[in-house]
Amino acid sequence: MSGWIQKDIGGNWTVNGHIEACILKLQCPSKDEFSNDKSRTENIEIVKDLLKPGCAGQGVLSEEVAGHPAIVLAPELAFGSPDFSVIDDLIKKYECNLIFICGFGFSSGSSLIDIEMNEGVEGIWDSKPLNDKKYNGGWVWVKSGDSVKSYIFLKNFFEQSTEISVPKLKQGNNILRLEGNDVVIFPLICADLICTEEGSPRERVISSIKGPGVSNKRLLITGSLLNEKSSSGHWKAAIGDFLEKIKASDADGRLMLSNCMNRTPVIDEEDDKWRCLSGVFQHRQGGKRPKNALPNLRYVDDTKFCGLVVRNTIPGAALGKLKWTNTSSEGLHVFSECEQYIWRNQKLEASDGLYEADELYRFLERIKGKMLQDYEGVNDKNREATNAQINELRDALYPQSSSSTRKIASEIFQKCLMGTLKSPFYCPDDVYKDADNLASAIPVIKLLQMAIDASLLPVLPHELRVEYGHLLSKDRGHEFLIWDSRQHSAGQLYNKVKEEVVKEGGSARPLTIICRGKNIGSLPEDGRIRSDRLSDISSAAFSKTQVEITQEDKDICEVSDRVVYWKNQGKIDDILFSAETTAQLKEKLEEEVALP
């Protein structure tokens, strides 16, 4: 079996078992852009900022890789043929060794022949493209020192629901094998990775590594995608089967994907966790789940493979070390030390890496239409008022937002679900387990904030900080905690608060806890939570008799208690259902939580 063409690129591309890698998240082209092979102007601007030459101020890539060789991967149809010369010029001016792989299309055969006529450009085909046909494919640039070579390769297998209906679209017959001194790279385009026909691109990759082999070199397959079904069984089966056959061929392979399609967040975790599939994958054997959530990346796995996908699917670039090792001394994960840059204000800006904010934002997108205010019986005005408050929070958490609200997302999670409990740090990748609890608690936080004009976890000097609550009243004299637990009943939580918070005493500001627990047992009474110190005094062998207990004793005990009020969340829910206007909603909420 042939169907593959090898190009020797020389060079040592890895450093200490890894290669500096960049996954570009670019704008999905419009139908007009890809149908008419137009320039992808915004994508070009992103690449310009990534590869900015030194005289124009150091670009993001050269700053991150610190002089080491790098590989950049962009999605399918990321560019049109008018963009070739712009990218070519940027790469020739880039200071370090670089492999740049991207998708183009739909380009006419005549445009591709014109591009091939440039010095240092070579087409990966047996016969030239036909002038009046259209092609979907990829460009590869290899910059090594002052030498720059570029290759044009064509997609071999069409996407079966849309591409097969494109007039005059023609496929290629060869795949490209890039042979470096220490790495072998096969760049593929989208459906080439899932084709199961005899002689498919996947089969030809396996044939190539079984034939000439890869010796002791690293093996990397790249996939430039435009795929909206990133969690489909077809893709997971294809990735798993491919990586398993690579491993069976005694090659240590990695798969790097870049997709420009951004799926709408969905409530089903098994669907949503795959994001857009942009990331790096390896065979399941040797992979290991991170102990903690990772900034900018999420761990995913299936029966035969595992990997790390880019957490945020907004335009920009994710840069890190693509590794072929899984040891504690060299790094456990296939893509590590990842920094994400987001496209904001017409430039690439470093992400804050606050994954709690990223996941809370995505959760609010996933849970739309299934929150407390969406229950049957809530009138339209109250639903609209609540949704406006939720949308305000969601917008502040957006990954491209510079709002300080992103910094408090971790506390919102922790306090909603763990309340006053001294518990391990909450992992936001587990948000799906607590979806019902958060869907209940977050609307209450935002409604109460609106009703009493409170501050949400404000930044204050240490001595004035909000200790247990989410909200601080306007006069800074009263805290409010909204707590919804799937682990404990309301009665159990009440007793924990009494023992661990009320008895700690002190002169802290009053705290009102609005709580919902597991639906077992009876609900505690609303009102102030008092400790059992007085009964402890009266029952002790050496204490005064009941007759001798004075008002002074009671005052001492009450003063040493922390002032904490309990309120079952059902009371707040009832107001959301019963209030007839937004003004009445605010008024009743304010009355319900006022200090006695």
Side-chain angles (χ1 to χ4, degrees):
M1 181 188 296
S2 59
W4 51 272
I5 295 175
Q6 178 172 317
K7 294 298 171 183
D8 294 323
I9 61 173
N12 294 310
W13 298 93
T14 62
V15 178
N16 298 325
H18 72 265
I19 186 170
E20 300 289 344
C22 171
I23 298 172
L24 280 175
K25 279 293 302 170
L26 300 180
Q27 296 284 3
C28 189
S30 68
K31 184 176 181 180
D32 176 55
E33 286 174 331
F34 66 72
S35 296
N36 297 299
D37 194 27
K38 291 183 176 180
S39 172
R40 318 299 198 255
T41 53
E42 186 158 11
N43 289 347
I44 283 293
E45 292 304 311
I46 293 174
V47 174
K48 283 180 179 178
D49 209 41
L50 181 78
L51 301 179
K52 191 186 302 178
C55 59
Q58 194 171 28
V60 167
L61 184 63
S62 57
E63 182 178 315
E64 283 290 336
V65 305
H68 294 305
I71 182 168
V72 175
L73 178 65
E76 180 180 22
L77 298 180
F79 303 102
S81 60
D83 299 319
F84 180 89
S85 59
V86 180
I87 302 172
D88 188 60
D89 186 57
L90 288 167
I91 290 170
K92 286 175 178 175
K93 292 178 179 176
Y94 182 72
E95 302 92 336
C96 304
N97 292 351
L98 175 66
I99 299 172
F100 189 101
I101 304 170
C102 65
F104 69 82
F106 298 135
S107 301
S108 68
S110 58
S111 296
L112 297 181
I113 293 169
D114 288 344
I115 290 173
E116 192 191 21
M117 291 177 67
N118 288 285
E119 185 180 354
V121 181
E122 184 177 351
I124 304 302
W125 44 62
D126 297 320
S127 57
K128 291 184 180 295
L130 300 174
N131 286 338
D132 62 342
K133 300 296 184 181
K134 292 183 177 181
Y135 296 87
N136 181 354
W139 297 320
V140 178
W141 281 266
V142 179
K143 183 180 191 300
S144 182
D146 294 329
S147 169
V148 177
K149 290 281 293 181
S150 53
Y151 306 97
I152 309 170
F153 66 97
L154 303 176
K155 189 174 184 179
N156 283 209
F157 181 75
F158 292 151
E159 197 277 320
Q160 296 299 291
S161 63
T162 55
E163 277 187 308
I164 57 171
S165 63
V166 176
K168 296 189 175 183
L169 190 63
K170 193 169 179 61
Q171 64 189 29
N173 297 311
N174 291 295
I175 61 171
L176 173 62
R177 172 177 171 144
L178 298 171
E179 188 86 16
N181 292 342
D182 54 358
V183 67
V184 176
I185 302 172
F186 291 90
L188 300 176
I189 303 290
C190 204
D192 286 349
L193 283 160
I194 62 170
C195 175
T196 57
E197 293 181 354
E198 184 178 353
S200 69
R202 277 163 48 193
E203 283 192 10
R204 279 177 268 155
V205 169
I206 300 301
S207 176
S208 176
I209 62 178
K210 283 183 175 178
V214 294
S215 300
N216 294 319
K217 299 176 183 180
R218 312 296 189 182
L219 173 64
L220 175 63
I221 295 93
T222 68
S224 296
L225 314 184
L226 195 157
N227 166 43
E228 62 181 350
K229 298 178 181 178
S230 51
S231 65
S232 79
H234 292 301
W235 272 98
K236 285 183 276 190
I239 293 171
D241 179 67
F242 200 9
L243 288 170
E244 185 152 88
K245 286 181 177 177
I246 288 170
K247 185 171 182 61
S249 303
D250 294 324
D252 189 11
R254 297 292 185 261
L255 174 65
M256 179 164 70
L257 303 178
S258 173
N259 186 10
C260 61
M261 288 293 287
N262 294 327
R263 295 186 61 229
T264 301
V266 294
I267 189 64
D268 181 11
E269 172 65 11
E270 282 305 307
D271 227 354
D272 194 72
K273 70 181 182 181
W274 295 94
R275 303 301 151 99
C276 67
L277 267 187
S278 294
V280 184
F281 305 89
Q282 68 175 90
H283 190 272
R284 184 70 181 264
Q285 186 177 335
K288 188 174 183 180
R289 178 183 293 275
K291 289 183 178 179
N292 301 306
L294 300 175
N296 307 316
L297 299 170
R298 277 202 68 172
Y299 176 84
V300 293
D301 60 21
D302 199 57
T303 54
K304 296 179 180 178
F305 72 96
C306 61
L308 294 167
V309 295
V310 179
R311 188 182 289 278
N312 281 324
T313 58
I314 56 177
L319 299 98
K321 301 182 188 304
L322 193 159
K323 296 189 173 184
W324 282 267
T325 55
N326 294 109
T327 66
S328 56
S329 61
E330 297 182 56
L332 293 173
H333 307 303
V334 68
F335 194 43
S336 65
E337 298 177 43
C338 178
E339 292 291 337
Q340 187 170 16
Y341 286 79
I342 57 178
W343 186 244
R344 179 170 55 196
N345 303 320
Q346 293 302 299
K347 62 181 178 179
L348 289 168
E349 296 183 349
S351 162
D352 56 25
L354 297 172
Y355 50 84
E356 301 93 345
D358 297 336
E359 290 305 317
L360 186 52
Y361 165 79
R362 193 169 182 95
F363 171 78
L364 294 176
E365 284 284 295
R366 294 168 66 180
I367 204 73
K368 276 182 181 177
K370 298 182 183 298
M371 301 188 81
L372 177 65
Q373 71 273 16
D374 299 305
Y375 290 176
E376 186 176 350
V378 176
N379 74 48
D380 290 343
K381 292 293 184 184
N382 292 346
R383 183 176 291 111
E384 288 172 11
T386 311
N387 282 334
Q389 293 297 310
I390 297 295
N391 291 344
E392 178 185 76
L393 175 62
R394 185 198 64 211
D395 292 347
L397 291 166
Y398 186 55
Q400 287 179 309
S401 166
S402 55
S403 170
S404 60
T405 302
R406 285 183 55 82
K407 297 178 181 178
I408 61 173
S410 174
E411 284 189 83
I412 294 175
F413 270 129
Q414 193 78 11
K415 291 183 175 184
C416 276
L417 302 172
M418 305 300 177
T420 64
L421 301 180
K422 295 177 175 62
S423 56
F425 180 72
Y426 182 77
C427 176
D429 290 347
D430 293 334
V431 65
Y432 66 97
K433 298 177 182 177
D434 300 289
D436 291 343
N437 307 86
L438 289 167
S440 170
I442 290 175
V444 174
I445 293 172
K446 292 302 296 179
L447 281 173
L448 197 56
Q449 182 184 11
M450 172 190 72
I452 64 174
D453 195 18
S455 300
L456 176 61
L457 290 166
V459 177
L460 295 169
H462 180 75
E463 65 274 10
L464 298 176
R465 76 189 191 285
V466 177
E467 187 174 2
Y468 287 112
H470 288 102
L471 300 173
L472 182 63
S473 62
K474 192 173 183 179
D475 63 3
R476 295 187 177 181
H478 189 182
E479 288 183 29
F480 300 87
L481 169 66
I482 292 78
W483 186 2
D484 201 309
S485 173
R486 66 180 170 88
Q487 298 173 315
H488 305 284
S489 69
Q492 290 170 328
L493 297 176
Y494 183 95
N495 290 329
K496 287 177 181 292
V497 171
K498 181 169 67 174
E499 293 299 317
E500 297 172 9
V501 180
V502 173
K503 280 188 176 182
E504 76 181 7
S507 57
R509 60 173 73 90
L511 168 67
T512 292
I513 299 175
I514 299 168
C515 188
R516 185 196 307 277
K518 287 173 64 176
N519 191 24
I520 55 173
S522 57
L523 296 176
E525 290 186 9
D526 286 359
R528 183 171 173 184
I529 305 174
R530 300 185 186 276
S531 73
D532 295 324
R533 284 192 180 93
L534 192 57
S535 60
D536 289 344
I537 293 173
S538 62
S539 61
F542 54 83
S543 67
K544 301 176 185 179
T545 66
Q546 187 68 34
V547 176
E548 293 175 306
I549 294 174
T550 65
Q551 184 61 45
E552 181 182 5
D553 294 323
K554 294 179 181 179
D555 290 343
I556 289 170
C557 291
E558 289 198 3
V559 167
S560 58
D561 279 354
R562 174 159 183 167
V563 179
V564 180
Y565 294 93
W566 180 272
K567 188 163 293 293
N568 293 299
Q569 191 187 310
K571 294 286 185 68
I572 305 298
D573 298 352
D574 291 344
I575 294 172
L576 182 61
F577 281 83
S578 64
E580 296 179 357
T581 65
T582 304
Q584 190 180 73
L585 176 68
K586 293 169 69 173
E587 181 183 344
K588 287 189 173 185
L589 286 171
E590 188 172 8
E591 289 175 359
E592 188 64 34
V593 300
L595 289 172

